[in-house]
Amino acid sequence: MTDLTIGKSVLRKEDARFLTGSGQYTDDVVMPRQSYAYFLRSPYAHAAIRGVDLAGAREMPGVLAIYTGKDLPDAVGGLPCGWLITGTDGQPMKEPKHPLLAQGKVRHVGDPVAMVVADTFLAAKDAAERIEVDYEPLPAVVDVRDALAAGAPAVHAEAPGNVCYVWALGDKAATDAAFARAAHVTTLEFINNRLIPNAIEPRACNASYAKSDDSYTLYVASQNPHVERLLMTAFVLGLPEHKVRVIAPDVGGGFGSKIYLYAEETMCVWASKLVGRPIKWTAERSESFLSDAHGRDHFTKAELALDKDGKFLAMRVDTKASMGAYLSTFASCIPTILYATLLAGQYTTPAIHAQVTAVFTNTAPVDAYRGAGRPEATYVVERLVATAAREMKLSQDEIRRRNFIRTFPYATPVALTYDIGDYDACLDGAMQMADVAGFPARKAEAAKRGMLRGLGYSSYIEACGLAPSNIAGALGARAGLYEAGEVRVHPTGKVTVFTGSHSHGQGHETTFSQVVADRLGIGVDDVDVVHGDTGRIPFGMGTYGSRSLAVGGTAIVKALDKIEAKGRKIAAHLMEVSDTDVEFKDGRFTVKGTDKHVPFAQVALTAYVPHNYPLDKLEPGLDETAFYDPTNFTYPAGTHICEVEVDPETGTTKIVSFTACDDFGNIVNPMIVEGQVHGGLAQGIGQALLEGCVYDRESGQLLTGTYMDYAMPRADDLPNFKVDTRVTACTHNPLGVKGCGEAGAIGAPAAVINALCDALGVKDIEMPATPERVWRAARAARA
């Protein structure tokens, strides 16, 4: 019997290999006769390809093969989009082909034009520089407002006006009627700035073909290897799925950018058979800036209608969302299903209407980035709420308390049903930790030094564990949303867990081990967790949307249910009683009401050494698999409070305090949860103050393509975070968990900007709130 570990800060099992340099990432994989790929990319945002001259490149030493879009057979499809959105006109979204290599046109800077395979990476890169491409530059559009203007250049002929779809959610008539009778209307227009993911490990792949059994193996930095394989084989290359093995080894962060199927790994798989050698590609950081799927990039007009007492009557939102040049794997559902459905926030707003126009632009594709639609929705809601409070002379906590949902389950006017929550508890906790009562004194002290202090609130909610599959399918999902788990008990009582979830920083090897160890009464170190290999794990959907413990963990629990049920039968045989008289707890099978018992390890051994075993009633072995498809989302929520100090003479903003009080349901490992919150807060603060992807509006060139231009948050940009949790257990999964990985990135941007607006006395300031923007806002406020 072991001490229970759920709820304890067990040290991460995986950290030993990471901290000692023993992790194995895709770029660490080197195969016999290894070759290397380099992709020649477009220097233009929009251009016709008149011709490609490969003669000089083919003469370069070490070159094995060069491919362009013309070399791809008709049977090779384009990269697919996994979610079909139907527009307000009843028509499916416009879905232009996304070729692996440009065919006839390039549509954004970084669009791949040619692939060079050589003996070494440098040889491939040198040869690529000898390729001569005859481009005819065309006018480009990088801003959604320009793309929608009359006479704008067409990114795709198949998408008139550059519109992918126009989609709406909510009751427009009821919303308009509520606005007509409102005592006060708050209106904001703002941009949710485009972000570039910057995982510590760039994208990478290593593909090989085995002639002996006509099979392929792909090592790839991916968050969901089974989905990668399915999309690649079924929709692009037309290969038998069972002949392709995808392995995602240790992955150094993803933040959503490694969910998708990309051209580079698909080309490497396709070419590996032709070249007859393994092909490796690892992105250079400048390539990552150009070619990784970006995040956010919304232009929104939002309105909130209130009665004279500050009660919310309705919300009206119009968003123009950039898709980039092509539809990425889940791009279409981010500003729709994962955005507009969250516009109720934590509030009882009775009528909401949102319209979203998805727009093609000559930029890198846009898809999910940590939070994926939820940060954008929270920013809309919480900026409106904070602004309305100031306009109606209400305190930030009071306007929220007047509108909080307190009765559950609660059906929102935007299609979701929240199962449980306690929003007052998180608000109270955050205010206490932030010492809101002492803020006036701190503000007065700062003023004596010529500084401006501001306090900003953000009470967010998110939907995690996207589900269920049948409803998602009706809404356009082209894949299931379940998860799989296999629990294999070995004869000695040790356990191996095979999960369809994928860990790339979340600590699954620890938390999943805690769940299994507690259930079976064994040590955490007696549990191994295997993930990321389609040749070993059951078919699963991978990791994104804070789904791993709520969905993947529940699949494991359901497999454990089967293990326990069979174990009771084996124990009943050993103790010569009915299995209905046997209970299992703390690692022992016990006859109810007695002290007669057998340990779990003995049952495990008996399962594999079935001497005197009822083979007519029980199969040997103790190995069970389960799939879990949730019945609803989970709904983490909380309140974040940011306190800033601004130097009006320089525009410098210092975050002097940041407090987060979150409800993640039951918590398996508090240390891991705290680390996830810290990381999310850093990214959310980065969006608010530092990070912003900028394209030149005329040429379409990426202006923030290096760390000299794209400002990443550093340690000295961040305060010591104050974090705490409150618990309302999720009602529809056995662990009672909700998810925590994205909360910081969801709540933080609005909290920071609300604090800045409070300090400066302005209605809005654009993200990222750089010192120049803050300085100009301070001067304008004084004037």
Side-chain angles (χ1 to χ4, degrees):
M1 177 176 158
T2 62
D3 292 334
L4 296 180
T5 64
I6 284 184
K8 294 183 178 178
S9 293
V10 175
L11 294 179
R12 292 188 1 146
K13 296 170 66 175
E14 46 270 81
D15 282 352
R17 71 176 185 272
F18 294 146
L19 294 174
T20 58
S22 302
Q24 186 184 57
Y25 299 88
T26 297
D27 192 58
D28 294 323
V29 177
V30 180
M31 298 182 183
R33 302 178 67 241
Q34 184 74 66
S35 66
Y36 298 83
Y38 182 84
F39 288 87
L40 179 70
R41 300 182 183 277
S42 169
Y44 293 100
H46 198 196
I49 299 175
R50 290 172 166 172
V52 182
D53 185 352
L54 305 177
R58 285 178 172 145
E59 294 173 355
M60 295 292 287
V63 172
L64 302 173
I66 303 176
Y67 304 104
T68 69
K70 289 185 176 180
D71 296 310
L72 295 171
D74 293 340
V76 172
L79 297 175
C81 180
W83 202 295
L84 175 66
I85 294 296
T86 299
T88 54
D89 59 359
Q91 297 300 307
M93 66 189 185
K94 301 298 189 295
E95 205 167 353
K97 184 179 179 180
H98 185 179
L100 302 183
L101 296 175
Q103 295 176 330
K105 254 191 176 188
V106 290
R107 292 182 170 86
H108 68 93
V109 174
D111 212 354
V113 174
M115 173 191 186
V116 180
V117 184
D119 289 328
T120 68
F121 170 73
L122 289 178
K125 187 173 183 179
D126 287 344
E129 293 176 355
R130 296 288 300 276
I131 296 175
E132 296 182 8
V133 184
D134 184 7
Y135 293 104
E136 179 187 348
L138 300 170
V141 284
V142 299
D143 185 285
V144 292
R145 293 162 292 183
D146 296 339
L148 291 171
V155 180
H156 296 279
E158 305 95 310
N162 294 316
V163 174
C164 177
Y165 57 78
V166 178
W167 178 90
L169 180 67
D171 188 332
K172 187 177 188 302
T175 301
D176 290 345
F179 269 87
R181 67 175 185 271
H184 180 84
V185 173
T186 291
T187 303
L188 286 170
E189 287 190 7
F190 46 76
I191 293 171
N192 201 296
N193 44 323
R194 179 183 280 239
L195 302 176
I196 301 176
N198 278 281
I200 195 169
E201 176 204 22
R203 289 193 295 117
C205 64
N206 197 339
S208 62
Y209 170 75
K211 189 174 182 180
S212 59
D213 62 354
D214 192 30
S215 69
Y216 300 79
T217 300
L218 171 67
Y219 287 86
V220 63
S222 172
Q223 297 177 217
N224 46 2
H226 267 297
V227 175
E228 171 112 3
R229 181 176 73 166
L230 175 63
L231 295 176
M232 182 184 295
T233 57
F235 296 97
V236 186
L237 298 181
L239 298 173
E241 188 178 2
H242 68 289
K243 288 294 187 179
V244 179
R245 180 182 182 185
V246 175
I247 302 171
D250 290 327
V251 173
F255 314 122
S257 68
K258 293 175 182 171
I259 296 173
Y260 323 118
L261 179 65
Y262 286 95
E264 291 86 358
E265 60 256 32
T266 310
M267 280 298 303
C268 286
V269 170
W270 178 78
S272 65
K273 182 176 182 178
L274 300 177
V275 174
R277 289 171 61 174
I279 303 174
K280 178 192 284 191
W281 170 78
T282 301
E284 296 181 299
R285 188 59 69 176
S286 59
E287 277 189 288
S288 297
F289 276 95
L290 291 171
S291 64
D292 287 4
H294 294 174
R296 317 291 193 249
D297 201 357
H298 287 191
F299 177 78
T300 294
K301 179 180 179 181
E303 301 168 281
L304 181 64
L306 304 92
D307 70 12
K308 61 182 178 58
D309 298 316
K311 284 284 289 181
F312 303 162
L313 301 177
M315 184 185 297
R316 194 159 50 198
V317 177
D318 184 271
T319 292
K320 311 293 191 294
S322 177
M323 297 287 98
Y326 306 100
L327 287 176
S328 180
T329 307
F330 292 112
S332 55
C333 74
I334 306 306
T336 51
I337 308 301
L338 296 180
Y339 166 67
T341 56
L342 273 299
L343 289 172
Q346 300 183 6
Y347 309 111
T348 57
T349 312
I352 299 173
H353 182 263
Q355 178 170 294
V356 177
T357 304
V359 186
F360 290 112
T361 59
N362 293 116
T363 61
V366 179
D367 210 315
Y369 175 71
R370 196 172 192 169
R374 283 73 55 87
E376 297 94 311
T378 295
Y379 194 77
V380 170
V381 175
E382 290 304 296
R383 288 290 294 113
L384 282 172
V385 171
T387 306
R390 286 194 292 272
E391 290 176 347
M392 297 192 73
K393 306 296 189 292
L394 292 171
S395 68
Q396 293 294 329
D397 63 307
E398 181 59 28
I399 195 170
R400 287 168 170 79
R401 293 187 201 279
R402 291 186 186 187
N403 291 281
F404 273 159
I405 298 164
R406 295 187 175 88
T407 302
F408 296 91
Y410 179 83
T412 75
V414 279
L416 298 183
T417 299
Y418 303 163
D419 63 325
I420 197 166
D422 187 345
Y423 309 140
D424 288 284
C426 288
L427 177 60
D428 292 341
M431 291 180 68
Q432 184 175 357
M433 286 192 295
D435 186 21
V436 171
F439 175 72
R442 297 192 297 275
K443 184 179 180 73
E445 186 278 329
K448 293 177 181 177
R449 296 183 281 107
M451 300 295 175
L452 306 174
R453 282 251 176 165
L455 204 61
Y457 290 60
S458 177
S459 295
Y460 75 93
I461 191 166
E462 56 172 320
C464 299
L466 182 60
S469 291
N470 58 347
I471 293 179
L475 295 173
R478 289 165 165 166
L481 297 168
Y482 53 82
E483 197 47 81
E486 177 187 353
V487 177
R488 182 178 299 169
V489 180
H490 300 287
T492 56
K494 313 302 183 186
V495 174
T496 301
V497 174
F498 301 87
T499 175
S501 298
H502 185 275
S503 181
H504 40 278
Q506 293 87 350
H508 294 170
E509 293 173 37
T510 304
T511 51
F512 286 169
S513 293
Q514 287 180 256
V515 170
V516 173
D518 268 27
R519 179 68 177 272
L520 298 181
I522 61 179
V524 170
D525 291 334
D526 292 333
V527 182
D528 279 341
V529 176
V530 176
H531 60 90
D533 184 347
T534 63
R536 300 184 66 189
I537 62 173
F539 190 99
M541 302 309 294
T543 294
Y544 49 85
S546 301
R547 73 190 298 268
S548 293
L549 197 55
V551 186
T554 297
I556 292 169
V557 168
K558 289 188 172 295
L560 287 168
D561 292 341
K562 297 180 181 180
I563 293 288
E564 182 182 324
K566 185 172 182 179
R568 280 201 305 270
K569 293 179 179 180
I570 297 171
H573 169 72
L574 292 174
M575 295 185 288
E576 299 181 328
V577 297
S578 169
D579 63 284
T580 58
D581 294 327
V582 177
E583 59 186 5
F584 181 65
K585 186 179 180 182
D586 299 334
R588 300 194 303 184
F589 292 92
T590 305
V591 178
K592 296 175 184 177
T594 75
D595 60 358
K596 188 175 183 180
H597 69 274
V598 291
F600 176 73
Q602 183 180 348
V603 168
L605 182 62
T606 302
Y608 289 95
V609 187
H611 299 163
N612 190 28
Y613 188 86
L615 292 171
D616 57 328
K617 298 179 181 178
L618 283 172
E619 294 179 352
L622 201 53
D623 185 338
E624 299 288 350
T625 298
F627 289 79
Y628 174 64
D629 198 326
T631 58
N632 192 3
F633 288 96
T634 63
Y635 297 99
T639 290
H640 294 177
I641 298 178
C642 177
E643 186 172 335
V644 299
E645 183 171 286
V646 175
D647 184 344
E649 299 305 317
T650 64
T652 302
T653 300
K654 179 181 180 182
I655 298 179
V656 294
S657 173
F658 200 105
T659 301
C661 188
D662 302 291
D663 177 3
F664 300 133
N666 293 332
I667 291 176
V668 172
N669 189 309
M671 178 190 67
I672 288 177
V673 167
E674 185 172 343
Q676 288 287 308
V677 173
H678 282 200
L681 292 176
Q683 285 182 280
I685 291 168
Q687 175 175 12
L689 295 181
L690 299 159
E691 298 183 52
C693 171
V694 180
Y695 285 92
D696 182 84
R697 213 156 166 177
E698 294 296 323
S699 68
Q701 292 296 321
L702 180 64
L703 302 181
T704 53
T706 73
Y707 289 133
M708 294 295 290
D709 308 296
Y710 188 90
M712 295 281 287
R714 303 184 304 181
D716 59 357
D717 294 313
L718 307 171
N720 288 320
F721 300 123
K722 303 174 197 172
V723 301
D724 200 3
T725 57
R726 300 293 183 267
V727 176
T728 60
C730 177
T731 61
H732 54 81
N733 69 59
L735 292 169
V737 297
K738 297 183 180 181
C740 69
E742 297 167 296
I746 292 169
V752 174
I753 297 301
N754 284 338
L756 269 173
C757 290
D758 182 51
L760 297 169
V762 299
K763 188 172 183 177
D764 191 34
I765 185 168
E766 186 177 337
M767 294 192 293
T770 60
E772 180 186 351
R773 285 176 174 161
V774 173
W775 177 78
R776 291 185 182 279
R779 285 175 58 88
R782 283 203 301 265

